[in-house]
Amino acid sequence: MSAVIKVQNIWKQYRLGQVGTGTIADDITRWLANVRGKEDPFINLGDTNEQNKTGNSRYVWALNNINFEVKQGEIIGIIGKNGAGKSTLLKLLSKITSPTKGEITITGRLASLLEVGTGFHPDLTGRENTFLNGAILGMTKKEVKTKFDEIVAFSGIERYIDSPVKRYSSGMYVRLAFAVAAHLEPEILIIDEVLAVGDAEFQKKCLGKLQDVANEGRTVIFVSHNLAAIKTLCSRCIVLTNGHISYEGDVDISVVNYLKADGFGGLKEYKVFDGQSSISIPECDLLSVGVKAKEKHFGDPIRMDEEVELVIKYKKKIRNCTLDVTIQVKDSSGNYLFVCSSARSTIESNMGRIGVYEYTLEIDSNFFNPDTFYINLLVVKDKKTTCLRQEDVIFFHILDKERVLGEWMGKSAAPLFLNFPWRADSKN
Amino acid sequence: MNSIPESKTLPTTEVISSKSHWWDLRLNEIWQYRDLLFLFVRRDFVSVYKQTLLGPLWFLIQPVMATLVFSIIFGKVAALPTDGRPMVVFYLVGITAWTYFADCLNKTSKTFTENAHIFGKVYFPRLIMPLSIVISCLIKFAIQFILMLAVLVFYVYREANIDLNAMILLTPLLIIIMAGLGLGFGILISSLTTRYRDLQFLIQFGVQMLMYAAPVVYPLSMVPEKYRWAILANPMTSVIETFKIGYLGVGTMEFSHLAYSFVFMLVILLVGIIVFHKVERNFVDTI
Ligand SMILES: Nc1ncnc2c1ncn2[C@@H]1O[C@H](COP(=O)(O)OP(=O)(O)OP(=O)(O)O)[C@@H](O)[C@H]1O
Ligand SMILES: [Mg+2]
């Protein structure tokens, strides 16, 4: 299948600070360079876009050298932290602003939805705004007319359709606005974060509609911070980090990359301790600690519906004592969730002998809800003295599984789910 | 892939790039978005009559008040001549015509600043916005024009010294010139204000000055031959004079002057559209 969107070497530069001061000077410099046939003198200025660092240029590259293709019928998710350049990319695709360098080729009718209800006028009625908004999004009057009843039904606000929208509750406003957008029939649909608004029921409706759109063979590019929605809908993902594509491809791996890009300074899912980083106490040398999904490799994404294995390896250096490992598991806010120790289990194999031991803890699938977890590691001698305590030795992400469409997409209130047995007895 | 969305034409391929050619004005797109153009006109009109108690009646108050003020200040106090026509009709005709041009210019000159939000969220040919303003202003002009005709009829009935004549057939042409001039200047200024904000404060003042450089409150015949070229350089001069000839039967008008205004209009419109297109590509970045 052919590519309907081709993005080639796209760069986008923004100017920081208050515009209006110094622009005349810049304009003259630029114009002089232009007259003498030179390149724009400001084009090579500018830092990559890292908000937390103070660059010394007034220009910043919001996108650097973006290249990708989208084939017909694909649903592409774009993820990245705040300020990564997602909206900027969508603005370029929808012709709202143009690239500083590079070229985008689009085949087919494209509609973009960067906001719901753009152009709604508070004094006009729902009906009037439906036509206006439809036309703004690129529909003809005739198209809106034929779909009007459907739009009103989808929005569920029949009673208010002839009242001015300033009398609407904010929820009703969003419903009507999305209903109009949902009935667009472009070949390519571009959506930015609009699912963040509205209640759970509304979000469900929107996602359902998106799936329908995709099933009809349309192409969708979709930005969201709702990773559950991304995982459910998208066939492929692009991860943006500071204006460049840091990963493109598989959705699970993308999500992990995105979460990692969120800055977990130096922490890893798997650590080998040797050379400089070696952790050595008189009793033992810690060799490695890691978390992975069962039957997968270290570093692969871990989904909530996979069994999780925690593997600890050490070299015991003294005889005639026992060494047990204990882990403390914390959630992303640092709250302790549980403790688990090998001392309570029945392993007796290392009684007395020296050598290399590997401990594996098996954790049921669906025990962790999607979140980030941190692990403290303790080594306990003879079940009473802690001889090693290592804080935040590793961390890992648990990813969402794909959900059935229409299922709840929100984030779970608690980080863990315990599958204790229930019993139901009939008592009459 | 059961139903690829119906498209009336073959899939169109569009290239978005960093460069654009100044001659690539994409005027055909405006035709595709004509429904939007008229919905904007409707929105402007409907929102005015929904917001105010008197609705479009307000459109009449403005020329009436201006005529009264001009009659007192320029007619009575300054005692400027009105070519022998009753003061009220003399000023009303000038004001009605001038207001259309000034409205077009003032309102279109805010295209970018006032629509920054909507332009930042969705693409449609940006020119649709100022075009819709010119058409909205035309509705207002029509209402004021009817008032003007009514007043004229009243004076003719009173057998005042008024001489409607065949020159009124030029009215459509005059409207086109006024709309074109207002739009051309407006979008040019709008484009420049995105970079140089201070310009915005000059517009109101500039339009006012331009009015005094056109025969609105005085007849062209009053201007000494020696300086007349300066007033005639104002492209609105011949338009106002032609109006006065048609509806009052007085004035100094030559077709060459009208031709000058027409060519001026075409040039300013073309320059305006070219600059507007250049600015629209990136203006949302800096607003
Ligand atoms: N008009 C502008 N002028 C200057 N800088 C801008 C402008 N628009 C965006 N930027 C910068 O470009 C970067 C990318 O912004 P963008 O809106 O694309 O981020 P995003 O990925 O959509 O973030 P979010 O998740 O918060 O929506 C940001 O650092 C932002 O400050
Ligand atoms: Mg954004």
Side-chain angles (χ1 to χ4, degrees):
Chain A
M1 215 165 295
S2 62
V4 287
I5 298 180
K6 215 184 268 176
V7 175
Q8 288 162 302
N9 307 319
I10 282 293
W11 298 72
K12 178 68 184 176
Q13 188 180 53
Y14 281 126
R15 191 170 186 280
L16 295 177
Q18 192 60 41
V19 177
T21 50
T23 43
I24 293 182
D26 285 1
D27 283 352
I28 293 171
T29 322
R30 190 173 276 146
W31 179 76
L32 281 176
N34 203 354
V35 168
R36 284 181 290 163
K38 295 209 178 126
E39 209 192 337
D40 186 339
F42 295 101
I43 206 144
N44 293 320
L45 291 177
D47 306 332
T48 53
N49 193 5
E50 294 175 53
Q51 296 105 326
N52 45 2
K53 300 203 182 108
T54 37
N56 37 22
S57 171
R58 280 175 300 145
Y59 293 88
V60 79
W61 289 108
L63 291 177
N64 356 185
N65 204 11
I66 303 289
N67 285 283
F68 65 92
E69 285 190 3
V70 181
K71 296 199 172 52
Q72 189 187 335
E74 277 192 296
I75 303 196
I76 303 282
I78 298 182
I79 52 181
K81 59 178 175 166
N82 296 128
K86 305 178 296 295
S87 303
T88 305
L89 182 58
L90 298 196
K91 278 185 184 169
L92 295 182
L93 288 171
S94 38
K95 293 196 286 184
I96 286 166
T97 180
S98 52
T100 313
K101 290 194 260 178
E103 204 170 84
I104 301 172
T105 314
I106 292 173
T107 309
R109 196 171 117 166
L110 179 146
S112 59
L113 194 58
L114 304 192
E115 180 194 65
V116 288
T118 308
F120 265 35
H121 192 290
D123 284 313
L124 300 188
T125 64
R127 183 187 303 275
E128 287 162 338
N129 272 312
T130 300
F131 279 91
L132 181 62
N133 189 236
I136 287 177
L137 294 174
M139 286 193 258
T140 62
K141 208 168 162 181
K142 218 176 97 202
E143 278 177 276
V144 183
K145 212 174 240 165
T146 50
K147 298 212 185 90
F148 186 77
D149 293 333
E150 243 179 280
I151 292 175
V152 177
F154 188 88
S155 71
I157 52 150
E158 288 89 341
R159 270 190 74 188
Y160 285 87
I161 196 69
D162 286 310
S163 317
V165 297
K166 64 181 171 191
R167 306 251 181 276
Y168 285 20
S169 77
S170 51
M172 288 161 66
Y173 185 96
V174 168
R175 276 159 175 275
L176 180 63
F178 189 84
V180 180
H183 289 82
L184 277 171
E185 290 200 333
E187 284 136 334
I188 305 164
L189 183 62
I190 286 184
I191 302 179
D192 191 1
E193 208 77 69
V194 292
L195 302 172
V197 294
D199 54 16
E201 188 214 330
F202 172 73
Q203 293 198 6
K204 219 157 89 178
K205 219 166 170 179
C206 298
L207 290 171
K209 190 73 198 177
L210 273 188
Q211 187 73 62
D212 294 348
V213 166
N215 291 342
E216 285 163 15
R218 292 181 225 277
T219 312
V220 181
I221 295 189
F222 165 53
V223 167
S224 180
H225 286 125
N226 184 338
L227 298 177
I230 291 269
K231 290 192 58 108
T232 310
L233 290 171
C234 301
S235 49
R236 197 151 65 85
C237 252
I238 290 172
V239 186
L240 282 181
T241 314
N242 294 330
H244 65 267
I245 297 185
S246 55
Y247 181 80
E248 181 188 347
D250 181 75
V251 181
D252 282 341
I253 301 177
S254 296
V255 171
V256 171
N257 269 294
Y258 159 64
L259 292 171
K260 279 188 185 153
D262 238 355
F264 290 91
L267 276 185
K268 286 202 184 116
E269 282 155 334
Y270 176 62
K271 246 188 207 166
V272 180
F273 302 95
D274 54 2
Q276 296 229 313
S277 69
S278 72
I279 295 178
S280 182
I281 50 169
E283 289 81 6
C284 69
D285 290 341
L286 192 58
L287 299 177
S288 67
V289 183
V291 174
K292 66 182 187 68
K294 194 171 185 180
E295 281 154 21
K296 295 257 180 86
H297 300 288
F298 290 108
D300 287 348
I302 309 168
R303 291 159 44 126
M304 62 183 289
D305 57 354
E306 289 176 310
E307 280 174 55
V308 178
E309 287 184 344
L310 178 89
V311 185
I312 301 162
K313 210 158 143 187
Y314 66 74
K315 185 173 160 201
K316 189 165 179 253
K317 296 195 289 193
I318 54 168
R319 292 166 203 280
N320 300 325
C321 71
T322 60
L323 287 182
D324 285 295
V325 288
T326 299
I327 54 158
Q328 299 173 331
V329 179
K330 300 183 291 183
D331 69 7
S332 50
S333 344
N335 303 314
Y336 284 93
L337 299 175
F338 65 90
V339 177
C340 188
S341 173
S342 66
R344 298 267 182 95
S345 70
T346 50
I347 310 173
E348 299 285 346
S349 62
N350 68 353
M351 257 322 241
R353 269 178 282 152
I354 55 172
V356 175
Y357 293 91
E358 184 178 88
Y359 285 74
T360 302
L361 173 66
E362 292 184 355
I363 302 170
D364 291 347
S365 57
N366 292 315
F367 172 68
F368 291 111
N369 278 323
D371 200 347
T372 303
F373 299 89
Y374 295 81
I375 290 186
N376 296 346
L377 176 71
L378 288 76
V379 177
V380 182
K381 188 179 173 186
D382 290 332
K383 307 199 196 260
K384 54 182 193 236
T385 25
T386 301
C387 53
L388 174 75
R389 182 185 171 89
Q390 201 63 29
E391 294 266 348
D392 293 339
V393 61
I394 48 168
F395 85 111
F396 57 98
H397 300 295
I398 296 291
L399 303 180
D400 225 311
K401 60 184 172 189
E402 274 138 45
R403 303 190 194 177
V404 181
L405 208 84
E407 211 178 281
W408 179 64
M409 292 275 175
K411 193 168 152 44
S412 171
L416 300 179
F417 184 88
L418 295 188
N419 214 357
F420 292 141
W422 288 82
R423 201 177 62 229
D425 300 322
S426 170
K427 291 284 184 190
N428 48 13
Chain B
M1 236 113 304
N2 34 26
S3 77
I4 305 286
E6 84 291 341
S7 59
K8 284 131 220 141
T9 49
L10 287 168
T12 47
T13 298
E14 185 169 13
V15 177
I16 300 169
S17 83
S18 52
K19 303 264 180 317
S20 79
H21 300 296
W22 64 266
W23 63 83
D24 183 18
L25 300 180
R26 314 164 69 102
L27 295 178
N28 58 329
E29 256 188 353
I30 293 178
W31 177 247
Q32 288 165 15
Y33 276 85
R34 61 193 181 280
D35 285 341
L36 180 60
L37 177 62
F38 289 102
L39 283 163
F40 275 136
V41 173
R42 210 180 117 81
R43 176 195 69 175
D44 289 346
F45 190 73
V46 170
S47 63
V48 165
Y49 84 71
K50 280 194 177 164
Q51 267 166 355
T52 57
L53 205 58
L54 295 176
L57 271 186
W58 281 112
F59 293 163
L60 299 180
I61 299 197
Q62 189 190 345
V64 168
M65 292 304 287
T67 303
L68 285 179
V69 171
F70 283 12
S71 300
I72 293 166
I73 296 177
F74 300 111
K76 287 274 186 324
V77 179
L80 294 179
T82 56
D83 270 351
R85 299 295 183 250
M87 258 191 293
V88 168
V89 282
F90 183 85
Y91 292 126
L92 186 60
V93 169
I95 286 166
T96 305
W98 180 262
T99 306
Y100 179 52
F101 163 75
D103 272 356
C104 287
L105 199 166
N106 279 328
K107 291 200 179 137
T108 53
S109 73
K110 300 192 188 102
T111 306
F112 283 125
T113 43
E114 293 205 330
N115 296 294
H117 178 75
I118 185 171
F119 283 1
K121 293 295 180 190
V122 67
Y123 175 81
F124 53 85
R126 302 325 194 190
L127 216 43
I128 290 280
M129 224 17 135
L131 278 176
S132 78
I133 292 170
V134 168
I135 297 174
S136 295
C137 290
L138 195 61
I139 295 175
K140 183 176 160 193
F141 172 74
I143 294 169
Q144 295 176 342
F145 187 73
I146 291 168
L147 170 75
M148 182 188 99
L149 289 182
V151 172
L152 280 173
V153 167
F154 175 74
Y155 273 88
V156 170
Y157 178 73
R158 294 251 312 258
E159 291 168 27
N161 184 16
I162 287 171
D163 189 10
L164 281 158
N165 59 63
M167 289 300 223
I168 62 171
L169 295 179
L170 286 175
T171 308
L173 176 67
L174 299 179
I175 292 174
I176 289 171
I177 296 178
M178 290 191 295
L181 284 172
L183 179 66
F185 277 119
I187 59 178
L188 190 60
I189 293 167
S190 173
S191 307
L192 297 178
T193 45
T194 58
R195 260 177 190 277
Y196 313 112
R197 290 293 158 79
D198 303 349
L199 264 179
Q200 219 160 330
F201 303 107
L202 288 175
I203 301 167
Q204 285 281 341
F205 178 71
V207 173
Q208 201 78 38
M209 287 299 104
L210 212 55
M211 187 184 85
Y212 292 115
V216 176
V217 298
Y218 53 85
L220 188 59
S221 61
M222 196 195 105
V223 181
E225 282 299 339
K226 233 168 75 184
Y227 303 117
R228 205 168 281 179
W229 63 269
I231 302 296
L232 281 168
N234 180 347
M236 276 301 288
T237 297
S238 67
V239 176
I240 301 285
E241 278 299 293
T242 311
F243 248 102
K244 286 186 173 167
I245 290 190
Y247 294 92
L248 300 170
V250 289
T252 336
M253 177 255 176
E254 278 170 39
F255 278 101
S256 62
H257 296 162
L258 208 54
Y260 161 76
S261 297
F262 189 76
V263 172
F264 195 109
M265 181 273 285
L266 290 182
V267 171
I268 197 74
L269 197 54
L270 189 67
V271 172
I273 293 175
I274 290 170
V275 176
F276 188 86
H277 270 283
K278 188 158 168 47
V279 167
E280 72 173 15
R281 293 170 53 79
N282 282 312
F283 108 99
V284 291
D285 299 349
T286 52
I287 211 73

